[in-house]
Amino acid sequence: MATIREIAEKVGVSVGTASFVLNGKADDMRISKKTQTRVLEAAKELGYQPSLSARKLRVKGKEVPVIAILWTLDARTSLISRFLQGIQSKSTYQEGQFELLIQPYENGKLRELHALKTGLRFNGAIIANASDEDMHYLEQANLNLPIVVYQRHSKNYATVLVDSEKTGRDVAKKFIQNGHKQVSIVIPEVSSEAVALRIKGFLEECRVYQIEVDELYGDFSEAGGYAVTKQLLMVSPLPSAIFFLSDYMAIGALSALHEANVKVPKDIQLIGHDNMIATQFTIPTLSTVNLPVEEMAEASVNLLLKILRNAADPHEQLKFSSYILERESSSFE
Amino acid sequence: MATIREIAEKVGVSVGTASFVLNGKADDMRISKKTQTRVLEAAKELGYQPSLSARKLRVKGKEVPVIAILWTLDARTSLISRFLQGIQSKSTYQEGQFELLIQPYENGKLRELHALKTGLRFNGAIIANASDEDMHYLEQANLNLPIVVYQRHSKNYATVLVDSEKTGRDVAKKFIQNGHKQVSIVIPEVSSEAVALRIKGFLEECRVYQIEVDELYGDFSEAGGYAVTKQLLMVSPLPSAIFFLSDYMAIGALSALHEANVKVPKDIQLIGHDNMIATQFTIPTLSTVNLPVEEMAEASVNLLLKILRNAADPHEQLKFSSYILERESSSFE
DNA sequence: TTGTACGCGTTATCAA
DNA sequence: TTGATAACGCGTACAA
């Protein structure tokens, strides 16, 4: 991490000269070739790395806010592409009004992310996939950094979310409406408020209508859904409907059921969650709950930008709505 | 974009005081409550936004290189999650040795991305999905910014890629070996060297063995593959094998074929490309070409970091290999 | 609480 | 023709 001054000193030249050489303006400034090569060599030797900070500071009117997306290092990483797509599809991005930083963190270890406290890396953050512990830390830390929390409730920060409890109830209602008496819910092993609320809504509604529910757990992935279903196939009787809290898991289940020659939706009905594009092309097509990830992502960024320029309440709560998309996997033929 | 000095002036207080208040250190410093509120109000009014650059510059030993991932704003955005996963799975990231910036750009308009020339946003870049025009611009611009190009050849920059021509030949060989005489190749409408080379290799090998090939085009998505296949189903005879240059397209095709009651692999064999996880769970499971995205992503970042600290040749060429994963969609029963 | 030196690259002004 | 000097940008931290 040498500075330009160190280079200048080593070569025995002024910092201005060194700067010109390192920026390719040496010829315009008529710096001799020998000096140029000597400067460049010194830079290489010392491992010179220009400081963006110093540059930005000097070049006026160029600094834009840095927005960080804090994303957990777990299976849900696969959803980040939709999040990014939501941000990018909009004009805001194109105009270069902000820089987008991806800041991964380990689930449950948000407190160890020093950048949240130092305020050196970003001007504001969107926190996705926060676990209970992470959220607890956040609420108690009371950071004075502008923050938008995605898919969780919060007292101290702005939020963007859907009514996950209602989602759960809606799916239960659909199952009840379709006449199911014995259903299962497959739960991914991730700590998430949204998941917990969906479960809560689903179970409550089932209780009200006295439907029997089995709770199953698996990895948040196709493989997880496949494994859970394989296990389920070994016991009997099979439930007549399953709610998967992740489309990926439901896709894995379709594969396992096909192998076992169990027909969907005739023998068993499935509903997934998230409305991943792939669900339109599975065999059979997969009913799912539409989660407006792209819209929420865009809203999160816009909200954060507004908060940054004091144009929005830092406690704003944006609510989106989800709805069931009925496709073949939950329809009677 | 007010500065801390403007706030201090407005309130009639020193910059030091303003700094303390804005950083929540006011109480420790025994700044009066009135002063605190006045400073905070002024900050709000003026729309104060702390300059990260000034902060980083002052706080010693904290500046780490910023690496940008330049990603096109097109359908292939869906692949970015694998790219990110590749980076994140490794220790490098955890140690906070660099910051990761996502810099989208419009396909073919890399030249309009000013950040590449100003050097204000990042210390080095990984360029993914560059089109021919983008690459032409890059080669001729001869930027002195450290750059790693992903999945393209380059004279002037470091690269990380697989031998895409060989991939194409391999798939053709597999088809020939399986006895096909009439095949199709489905090409996504994206400008990519890798895609072009796969096509080239595939067509050449087919020519050598005098296999008839039909070239079809569609959107890089499940819907694109579905649409192409629907069209294909209207003509006859159907080819006995199809090579899809994207798994997403192949997944769409499976759906269309299922609807038309054409059996895979009995009536027609399919091979996709990329080895997306979903291909293990389609019905039938999808043969595909494994593209080591995660490994290449990790290698790209590590190579760039090495170049940044002069520990690697800025023209290094890293080659990875791909191979066919035979699953049900291309196997005889 | 205040004043001010400091970090580091850029660039305009000055000097030989 | 070749290079030096110093002001500048902005938040931080320490001495006063």
Side-chain angles (χ1 to χ4, degrees):
Chain A
M1 285 284 199
T3 73
I4 205 168
R5 259 164 255 267
E6 294 178 60
I7 294 174
E9 193 178 356
K10 173 157 185 160
V11 178
V13 82
S14 76
V15 288
T17 303
S19 174
F20 290 137
V21 174
L22 292 170
N23 290 296
K25 297 179 186 167
D27 286 332
D28 297 348
M29 290 298 160
R30 300 141 204 259
I31 309 286
S32 72
K33 285 293 173 195
K34 314 136 204 172
T35 307
Q36 292 193 33
T37 49
R38 281 169 60 216
V39 168
L40 291 173
E41 269 174 27
K44 209 151 245 166
E45 262 181 64
L46 298 175
Y48 173 69
Q49 186 64 237
S51 157
L52 295 186
S53 303
R55 277 228 260 258
K56 283 188 195 165
L57 202 52
R58 196 60 187 79
V59 180
K60 60 180 181 294
K62 291 289 183 183
E63 197 156 357
V64 297
V66 177
I67 289 184
I69 297 188
L70 273 59
W71 203 278
T72 50
L73 290 163
D74 61 29
R76 289 168 294 177
T77 305
S78 48
L79 293 172
I80 204 172
S81 60
R82 284 183 68 186
F83 203 92
L84 292 176
Q85 209 134 25
I87 294 169
Q88 299 179 356
S89 63
K90 284 309 162 187
S91 47
T92 37
Y93 209 120
Q94 324 268 30
E95 296 160 18
Q97 291 311 296
F98 62 93
E99 290 178 29
L100 191 65
L101 202 67
I102 301 286
Q103 181 74 254
Y105 70 96
E106 205 174 331
N107 197 302
K109 298 197 175 171
L110 193 59
R111 61 175 354 109
E112 292 175 16
L113 191 64
H114 222 57
L116 271 175
K117 319 215 60 163
T118 62
L120 285 171
R121 273 156 141 75
F122 39 79
N123 299 97
I126 296 171
I127 301 186
N129 305 337
S131 69
D132 295 341
E133 298 161 75
D134 294 330
M135 210 56 216
H136 179 259
Y137 161 70
L138 269 184
E139 295 289 3
Q140 152 273 331
N142 220 325
L143 305 169
N144 73 337
L145 183 79
I147 285 179
V148 171
V149 180
Y150 171 80
Q151 278 286 59
R152 287 203 76 116
H153 290 85
S154 167
K155 284 201 313 290
N156 299 321
Y157 308 102
T159 60
V160 172
L161 42 68
V162 302
D163 185 344
S164 296
E165 211 173 320
K166 177 175 173 302
T167 294
R169 284 197 304 273
D170 285 349
V171 174
K173 277 179 189 148
K174 171 62 63 189
F175 280 170
I176 291 158
Q177 184 184 317
N178 282 5
H180 298 289
K181 306 287 185 203
Q182 165 102 30
V183 304
S184 290
I185 179 168
V186 175
I187 301 166
E189 282 159 344
V190 292
S191 169
S192 144
E193 185 192 81
V195 165
L197 290 176
R198 285 174 215 152
I199 298 169
K200 181 160 178 279
F202 185 82
L203 294 182
E204 277 180 7
E205 195 72 13
C206 285
R207 196 174 311 128
V208 170
Y209 289 86
Q210 298 180 310
I211 304 297
E212 245 182 88
V213 186
D214 223 25
E215 295 174 44
L216 306 169
Y217 297 83
D219 213 48
F220 185 100
S221 67
E222 293 92 338
Y226 180 89
V228 165
T229 309
K230 277 288 187 192
Q231 275 195 298
L232 194 62
L233 285 164
M234 296 189 338
V235 303
S236 65
L238 232 47
S240 64
I242 312 180
F243 177 26
F244 287 88
L245 291 184
S246 142
D247 282 337
Y248 289 114
M249 299 185 82
I251 287 171
L254 282 177
S255 175
L257 292 169
H258 177 256
E259 283 179 12
N261 205 27
V262 175
K263 301 298 183 192
V264 180
K266 194 163 69 73
D267 302 332
I268 193 168
Q269 296 199 344
L270 307 185
I271 294 183
H273 196 285
D274 289 348
N275 190 21
M276 302 303 289
I277 291 180
T279 56
Q280 299 170 46
F281 298 92
T282 51
I283 298 169
T285 56
L286 187 66
S287 299
T288 186
V289 176
N290 181 65
L291 186 69
V293 179
E294 292 82 356
E295 289 85 344
M296 292 168 78
E298 191 200 335
S300 298
V301 170
N302 286 333
L303 177 55
L304 186 54
L305 287 172
K306 273 191 186 172
I307 293 173
L308 283 172
R309 45 170 204 267
N310 292 306
D313 178 6
H315 297 85
E316 178 107 34
Q317 313 272 326
L318 287 186
K319 298 208 172 143
F320 282 73
S321 34
S322 63
Y323 51 88
I324 298 178
L325 285 162
E326 271 210 87
R327 303 218 184 89
E328 293 167 357
S329 72
S330 70
S331 308
F332 293 110
E333 285 146 309
Chain B
M1 287 284 200
T3 73
I4 204 167
R5 260 164 254 268
E6 293 177 62
I7 294 174
E9 194 177 357
K10 174 158 186 159
V11 178
V13 81
S14 76
V15 288
T17 305
S19 176
F20 290 139
V21 174
L22 292 169
N23 290 295
K25 297 179 188 167
D27 286 332
D28 298 348
M29 292 298 161
R30 300 141 203 259
I31 310 284
S32 72
K33 284 293 174 197
K34 315 134 203 173
T35 307
Q36 291 193 33
T37 49
R38 282 168 62 217
V39 168
L40 290 174
E41 271 175 26
K44 210 153 244 169
E45 263 181 63
L46 297 175
Y48 172 70
Q49 185 65 237
S51 158
L52 296 186
S53 303
R55 278 227 259 257
K56 284 187 195 166
L57 202 51
R58 198 61 188 79
V59 179
K60 61 184 182 293
K62 290 288 182 187
E63 198 157 354
V64 298
V66 177
I67 290 185
I69 296 188
L70 273 60
W71 204 279
T72 50
L73 290 163
D74 61 28
R76 288 168 294 175
T77 305
S78 48
L79 294 173
I80 205 173
S81 58
R82 284 183 67 187
F83 203 92
L84 291 177
Q85 210 134 26
I87 295 169
Q88 299 178 356
S89 64
K90 283 309 161 183
S91 49
T92 36
Y93 209 122
Q94 324 268 32
E95 296 161 17
Q97 292 311 297
F98 61 94
E99 290 178 30
L100 191 65
L101 203 66
I102 300 287
Q103 181 72 254
Y105 69 97
E106 205 174 331
N107 197 302
K109 296 196 176 172
L110 193 60
R111 60 173 357 105
E112 292 174 17
L113 190 65
H114 221 56
L116 271 175
K117 316 214 62 160
T118 62
L120 285 172
R121 272 156 141 75
F122 39 79
N123 299 96
I126 296 171
I127 300 184
N129 305 337
S131 69
D132 294 342
E133 297 160 77
D134 293 331
M135 210 55 217
H136 180 259
Y137 161 70
L138 269 184
E139 294 289 4
Q140 149 275 329
N142 220 325
L143 306 169
N144 73 335
L145 182 80
I147 284 178
V148 171
V149 181
Y150 171 79
Q151 276 287 56
R152 286 204 77 114
H153 290 87
S154 166
K155 285 202 312 289
N156 299 321
Y157 308 102
T159 60
V160 172
L161 42 69
V162 302
D163 185 343
S164 296
E165 210 174 320
K166 176 174 174 302
T167 294
R169 282 197 305 272
D170 285 349
V171 174
K173 276 179 190 149
K174 171 62 62 185
F175 280 171
I176 291 158
Q177 183 184 319
N178 282 6
H180 297 289
K181 306 286 183 206
Q182 164 103 31
V183 303
S184 290
I185 179 168
V186 175
I187 302 165
E189 281 157 346
V190 290
S191 169
S192 143
E193 184 193 83
V195 165
L197 289 176
R198 285 175 214 149
I199 299 170
K200 182 161 178 278
F202 185 81
L203 294 182
E204 277 181 6
E205 195 71 13
C206 286
R207 195 173 311 126
V208 169
Y209 289 86
Q210 297 181 310
I211 306 296
E212 244 183 88
V213 186
D214 223 24
E215 294 174 44
L216 306 169
Y217 298 83
D219 213 48
F220 185 100
S221 67
E222 292 92 338
Y226 181 88
V228 164
T229 309
K230 277 288 187 194
Q231 275 195 300
L232 193 63
L233 284 165
M234 297 188 339
V235 302
S236 66
L238 233 48
S240 62
I242 312 180
F243 176 27
F244 287 87
L245 291 185
S246 140
D247 282 335
Y248 290 114
M249 300 185 81
I251 287 171
L254 281 177
S255 174
L257 292 169
H258 177 256
E259 283 179 14
N261 206 25
V262 174
K263 302 298 182 193
V264 180
K266 193 163 70 74
D267 302 332
I268 192 168
Q269 297 200 343
L270 307 185
I271 293 183
H273 196 285
D274 288 350
N275 189 22
M276 303 303 289
I277 290 178
T279 56
Q280 299 170 47
F281 298 92
T282 52
I283 298 169
T285 56
L286 188 65
S287 299
T288 186
V289 176
N290 181 65
L291 187 68
V293 177
E294 291 83 355
E295 289 84 345
M296 291 168 79
E298 191 200 337
S300 297
V301 169
N302 286 333
L303 177 54
L304 186 54
L305 286 172
K306 273 191 186 171
I307 293 174
L308 283 173
R309 44 170 206 267
N310 291 305
D313 177 6
H315 296 85
E316 179 106 35
Q317 313 271 328
L318 287 187
K319 299 207 171 142
F320 282 73
S321 36
S322 63
Y323 50 88
I324 298 178
L325 285 162
E326 271 210 272
R327 304 217 183 91
E328 293 167 358
S329 72
S330 70
S331 306
F332 293 109
E333 286 147 308

